[in-house]
Amino acid sequence: MNGYQAALVVALLVVALVAAVYALGALAAVARSPLEGGPFLSGEPPAEHAVSRFHVRWYTITMVFLAFDMEMIFMYPWTLVVADMGATAVVEMFIFLGLLLVGVVYAWREGAFRWV
């Protein structure tokens, strides 16, 4: 069996597996009555649609949050190896933090942190 045939067999197996999972989900689904199928909000009816639009300002705040979230993800492993690597690791982390600071200054200048 050459490479193309093996890839085709694997692709067909993946398609068959996905179809089987969808079929099993359709067979095992429990039918809900319309009165019990609404979203849970402490018994109150929802005030707005679940797919309502958000102000564009929230997307910028989200991007800044994700940048700092990634900072923490990179800083934890750095703390484990900084003693072994020495001053090089410290310089690299300050360069990384400097780049994040440039992003925060840019977001601040663009007004991403204004709430009004």
Side-chain angles (χ1 to χ4, degrees):
M1 181 181 302
N2 65 17
Y4 291 115
Q5 290 173 339
L8 181 64
V9 168
V10 169
L12 289 175
L13 285 175
V14 167
V15 169
L17 180 66
V18 168
V21 168
Y22 273 111
L24 183 64
L27 289 175
V30 177
R32 293 181 287 175
S33 67
L35 295 178
E36 296 174 3
F40 179 74
L41 185 63
S42 301
E44 296 291 322
E48 58 188 25
H49 194 270
V51 194
S52 62
R53 296 178 183 225
F54 293 101
H55 194 279
V56 72
R57 152 182 358 135
W58 294 108
Y59 297 107
T60 311
I61 295 293
T62 302
M63 291 299 121
V64 171
F65 169 76
L66 288 176
F68 283 102
D69 208 25
M70 289 295 109
E71 172 193 6
M72 289 296 113
I73 287 174
F74 287 129
M75 282 186 88
Y76 178 71
W78 173 79
T79 59
L80 298 177
V81 299
V82 70
D84 297 333
M85 295 190 64
T88 307
V90 175
V91 169
E92 289 176 356
M93 184 51 69
F94 275 109
I95 290 172
F96 177 66
L97 292 175
L99 289 172
L100 281 177
L101 183 64
V102 168
V104 169
V105 169
Y106 173 75
W108 193 312
R109 193 183 80 208
E110 292 295 318
F113 300 123
R114 270 186 270 140
W115 292 99
V116 181

